Amino acid sequence: MPRLVIDGKTVVAKEGTFLLQAARDAGIDIPTLCEHPAVEPYGGCRLCLVDVTRPEWDGWSKMVVSCLFPVEDGILVSTRSERVTQTRKVVLDLLLARCPETPLVQELAAEHGIDRTSYVPNPEPTDCILCGLCTRICDRLGTSAISSANRGVGREIAPPFHEAPPDCIGCLACAEICPTGFIQYQSGSARRVIWNKEFKMLRCPTCGRGHITEDQARYYDGRNGVPARYFEPCDACKRKEQAAIAVSLMAAPEGR
Ligand code: SF4
Ligand code: FES
């Protein structure tokens, strides 16, 4: 297994892991904004930058994004060298200019000594930090209903042509993974609205609660061999039913 040194601490990492995970496993914190265990790493926010060197490199080092850099035997890693700290500050300064009113960005910037951006703040503040978590989870689910559009300061996350996305099934995965709460939705027992698309809810036959959308149930039907009727009862009623079965089995006399 690769043996490396992170901030002076010798770490034996699991084969095939990335530096970010190796640091976390060793109790070393590296700030991140675009990383989530549910999706593949993407290297978008650049906050997780670290310095990597080797004894034979004669003092030369390179900066890498730790969420995408596979661990290597013998490397020396610094998560808070002067260069790393300064670069992270620039990243946060720029992010604060884009999202000056976003609490998550304000807090992270303040932790790095930045109370206000040194760049011209975005005249149309947004809470979208362009971390790409929403589009990656949507791709992972196979729906790919939203994507990033435009370039530069106009870059945004949106459905195609800003219209109700035909492929969206209303699962809310994008909204739930979004770290800033940028993705808005309404969800009740009868209807759900997200990305300007309205969905009818599938009601649990036992308690009557609308728990997933009908589009979700249709989309999941037959995938991985799970039939549509599996999705009809809500999770709470399924658990209650299973608990009742378990209790009745335990109460049954042995041998019957
Ligand atoms: S909408 Fe949320 S999850 Fe998607 S890129 Fe923006 S901040 Fe990230
Ligand atoms: S967490 Fe590595 S680039 Fe965002």
Side-chain angles (χ1 to χ4, degrees):
M1 291 205 283
R3 180 182 288 263
L4 54 152
V5 175
I6 308 179
D7 293 344
K9 187 173 178 179
T10 300
V11 172
V12 179
K14 287 185 210 126
E15 200 75 56
T17 49
F18 292 114
L19 257 182
L20 175 64
Q21 192 55 50
R24 282 182 176 163
D25 291 347
I28 296 165
D29 187 43
I30 296 176
T32 61
L33 275 175
C34 70
E35 184 272 344
H36 192 285
V39 290
E40 294 291 311
Y42 158 71
C45 73
R46 318 309 279 181
L47 260 192
C48 71
L49 283 167
V50 295
D51 251 323
V52 170
T53 187
R54 285 183 172 277
E56 62 272 25
W57 286 359
D58 288 334
W60 183 81
S61 67
K62 61 179 177 182
M63 274 204 291
V64 300
V65 279
S66 60
C67 66
L68 280 175
F69 191 84
V71 289
E72 289 173 9
D73 198 51
I75 54 173
L76 308 170
V77 182
S78 171
T79 70
R80 41 195 136 102
S81 67
E82 181 61 19
R83 184 164 72 151
V84 164
T85 309
Q86 288 309 322
T87 310
R88 262 188 215 141
K89 279 187 172 186
V90 173
V91 170
L92 285 165
D93 199 355
L94 284 164
L95 197 54
L96 195 58
R98 173 181 168 85
C99 308
E101 296 171 4
T102 308
L104 175 69
V105 177
Q106 289 170 338
E107 282 159 26
L108 210 45
E111 279 170 25
H112 289 76
I114 303 168
D115 290 328
R116 67 176 54 184
T117 180
S118 61
Y119 298 93
V120 179
N122 185 356
E124 292 173 29
T126 170
D127 281 333
C128 178
I129 58 174
L130 297 173
C131 64
L133 286 170
C134 54
T135 52
R136 280 180 288 152
I137 195 77
C138 194
D139 289 345
R140 173 109 203 252
L141 292 168
T143 36
S144 301
I146 51 171
S147 58
S148 89
N150 307 323
R151 285 169 177 246
V153 288
R155 194 158 156 236
E156 61 174 350
I157 301 296
F161 309 109
H162 283 275
E163 288 172 5
D167 295 326
C168 181
I169 56 172
C171 68
L172 303 186
C174 57
E176 278 165 11
I177 205 169
C178 176
T180 64
F182 172 74
I183 300 174
Q184 301 290 306
Y185 66 91
Q186 293 102 44
S187 189
S189 231
R191 71 191 268 277
R192 178 178 286 172
V193 180
I194 186 164
W195 298 112
N196 292 325
K197 184 168 177 180
E198 182 161 342
F199 298 89
K200 263 180 84 177
M201 302 300 285
L202 185 73
R203 287 180 183 265
C204 170
T206 308
C207 68
R209 197 171 63 89
H211 57 110
I212 61 172
T213 67
E214 291 183 352
D215 289 54
Q216 267 178 284
R218 272 195 295 277
Y219 183 75
Y220 299 146
D221 182 16
R223 274 171 203 258
N224 302 319
V226 183
R229 67 176 182 285
Y230 173 82
F231 301 103
E232 286 167 12
C234 70
D235 286 345
C237 288
K238 267 192 220 131
R239 279 198 296 275
K240 271 189 211 156
E241 193 188 328
Q242 278 158 8
I245 293 169
V247 167
S248 69
L249 284 174
M250 283 163 64
E254 271 187 40
R256 289 211 180 165

